[in-house]
Amino acid sequence: MILTANNKLPLQYSIKKDSRQHNKKAVKNVNFSGHFGAEKYAKNRLGYLVHETGFFRDMCTKNFVKKYIEENFKDKKRINLLIGGCSTGEEALTYSMILKNLGKDVKILGFDVSEDAIKQAKSKKFLMQKLCKTPEGYMDISFQYERTLKDSYLAFSSENKLSKQKKTRKALFDDFFKVSDEVPVEPKKSLMQRINNWCYQHLLKIYTPKFESKYVVLKQGKGENCNFVVGDILNLNDIVKNEKYDVITFTNSLYHLITNSGYNNLVRKLNKEAEGTLNKLSTAIRENLNDKGLFVLGEEEVLQTMDSRLVPEIFSKNGLKPVSINGLSEVNVWQKA
């Protein structure tokens, strides 16, 4: 079962390999079969894409970016952000929310190689889900979904049950979004899926997770500074054209292009194309950043790509210098030198 667009609906069964039968050029071990939010994609280099995203992700880094803009671009009236691998738009809209009171004109362009993801981002409608409680006597496997559903409090929790930090984020979210009256319809399960569910629940006592779902939609006039287009990170110049950006982000996208390891691999190794890919990307990034501009990787992504010295060496060689962030052990932000 592969779900496209509805990135938060669960994938309950592993997808049979091999993606290469659909795409001879697919990287052999980039295979996200069975991954929550996977989308079969038989173009370019990837056999599968994963839209594992959410609102207010990597906030340590995003708060740093906000403070950096305030301190280093005081005289700029317009700030341009480019969100690479934007998936279904949650990251771009998070920046729109946290930068709304900056006192500047903020323009955000998000792009993703998936046409389905961009279509959903443009729809201004997002599916929010939370896990229902596992019945007593069944194995609790909810931990497999908690990471992807960690923004569910924005649509389901009342203020009095939230921490101070979450209350602040929910207030921003409620200013931008409202709950839709439309009732989400769960995708119809195949006969094999229904049989598997029955076996899990009645023979293995593994409860197939159930979800409470809602749609949230952007309020009128909100998020209008976000635009979304289909585009490939490897062809960055075709997307930016003649525009320059103050911040470029590739959250959890880069490591899929430069490593040979897919989902569930503990050790990632750089692939044969890594050096060429990094040289091409870092050069394009520097060319398309304004002076003092920032290039941002995902917080968890850094732990998966910094298994060698190649990434920082090439970034530094091509005019990017590392920026340390308090609270993070690894460098995931780079400044145009």
Side-chain angles (χ1 to χ4, degrees):
M1 175 182 176
I2 300 174
L3 300 178
T4 60
N6 292 333
N7 65 305
K8 294 193 175 182
L9 289 174
L11 275 174
Q12 296 170 356
Y13 306 99
S14 293
I15 304 165
K16 290 184 178 181
K17 298 180 183 180
D18 184 3
S19 63
R20 286 169 290 165
Q21 65 184 332
H22 304 287
N23 178 14
K24 294 181 180 179
K25 295 183 179 180
V27 177
K28 291 182 180 179
N29 52 0
V30 178
N31 187 349
F32 302 103
S33 62
H35 193 296
F36 190 102
E39 173 194 344
K40 184 176 176 182
Y41 194 80
K43 294 181 182 179
N44 296 338
R45 301 177 59 190
L46 301 179
Y48 289 87
L49 300 175
V50 177
H51 303 304
E52 186 178 277
T53 184
F55 293 101
F56 299 104
R57 183 174 63 164
D58 289 2
M59 283 305 293
C60 184
T61 299
K62 286 182 173 61
N63 286 330
F64 172 84
V65 170
K66 179 182 178 182
K67 185 177 180 181
Y68 183 91
I69 291 172
E70 291 173 333
E71 293 178 352
N72 291 275
F73 300 135
K74 293 179 180 178
D75 299 329
K76 292 196 70 172
K77 295 182 179 179
R78 175 173 168 174
I79 301 296
N80 289 336
L81 278 75
L82 182 68
I83 314 297
C86 71
S87 187
T88 46
E90 286 88 337
E91 183 177 5
L93 286 161
T94 298
Y95 272 113
S96 181
M97 286 185 268
I98 67 174
L99 299 178
K100 68 172 186 174
N101 295 324
L102 205 58
K104 300 177 183 293
D105 180 20
V106 178
K107 298 295 183 183
I108 302 171
L109 177 63
F111 70 91
D112 196 279
V113 72
S114 168
E115 295 177 7
D116 289 329
I118 293 301
K119 182 179 180 180
Q120 183 175 334
K122 288 181 175 181
S123 75
K124 301 183 179 181
K125 180 175 72 174
F126 299 85
L127 182 68
M128 305 291 286
Q129 292 183 299
K130 74 171 183 177
L131 281 162
C132 297
K133 188 175 180 180
T134 302
E136 188 175 348
Y138 286 86
M139 186 183 299
D140 186 359
I141 59 172
S142 61
F143 66 91
Q144 297 181 358
Y145 301 90
E146 286 173 354
R147 178 174 172 230
T148 309
L149 300 174
K150 63 184 178 182
D151 61 353
S152 62
Y153 71 90
L154 296 168
F156 292 95
S157 298
S158 59
E159 293 252 349
N160 59 357
K161 295 181 179 180
L162 299 176
S163 65
K164 183 178 179 180
Q165 183 184 70
K166 285 187 174 181
K167 284 181 180 179
T168 300
R169 294 175 186 175
K170 182 168 171 56
L172 282 173
F173 187 82
D174 289 344
D175 182 46
F176 269 60
F177 290 90
K178 63 181 179 181
V179 176
S180 171
D181 294 331
E182 183 181 352
V183 178
V185 178
E186 185 177 350
K188 187 176 180 180
K189 295 181 177 64
S190 68
L191 176 61
M192 182 58 67
Q193 289 168 342
R194 295 198 298 272
I195 292 173
N196 284 345
N197 272 353
W198 188 93
C199 292
Y200 286 153
Q201 294 183 25
H202 297 280
L203 300 180
L204 302 176
K205 287 295 182 180
I206 298 175
Y207 185 69
T208 305
K210 299 294 189 296
F211 298 83
E212 184 179 347
S213 304
K214 294 180 182 178
Y215 282 124
V216 294
V217 294
L218 275 168
K219 294 179 180 178
Q220 188 172 2
K222 300 295 183 178
E224 292 184 342
N225 60 338
C226 295
N227 291 311
F228 299 98
V229 297
V230 176
D232 190 338
I233 285 173
L234 294 175
N235 298 315
L236 187 62
N237 289 328
D238 294 340
I239 298 163
V240 300
K241 297 180 180 177
N242 296 320
E243 188 69 86
K244 294 277 188 179
Y245 289 85
D246 303 294
V247 180
I248 297 176
T249 77
F250 288 171
T251 303
N252 291 0
S253 299
L254 179 61
Y255 75 90
H256 292 314
L257 297 175
I258 66 172
T259 69
N260 274 333
S261 298
Y263 181 67
N264 276 339
N265 283 275
L266 296 178
V267 179
R268 299 183 184 275
K269 296 181 180 180
L270 296 173
N271 60 34
K272 294 180 181 179
E273 296 83 20
E275 185 171 356
T277 298
L278 288 168
N279 270 307
K280 179 180 179 180
L281 280 174
S282 56
T283 300
I285 288 163
R286 189 186 186 283
E287 290 174 350
N288 291 291
L289 279 174
N290 284 319
D291 291 341
K292 296 184 180 180
L294 294 181
F295 171 58
V296 181
L297 292 171
E299 292 173 10
E300 295 181 7
E301 177 177 22
V302 170
L303 301 176
Q304 301 180 78
T305 58
M306 301 298 281
D307 55 352
S308 79
R309 297 181 181 179
L310 187 63
V311 175
E313 282 180 358
I314 292 181
F315 281 4
S316 299
K317 180 188 73 174
N318 290 326
L320 299 170
K321 60 182 181 181
V323 180
S324 179
I325 299 178
N326 291 335
L328 296 182
S329 58
E330 303 286 345
V331 174
N332 71 316
V333 176
W334 299 75
Q335 182 190 53
K336 181 176 180 178

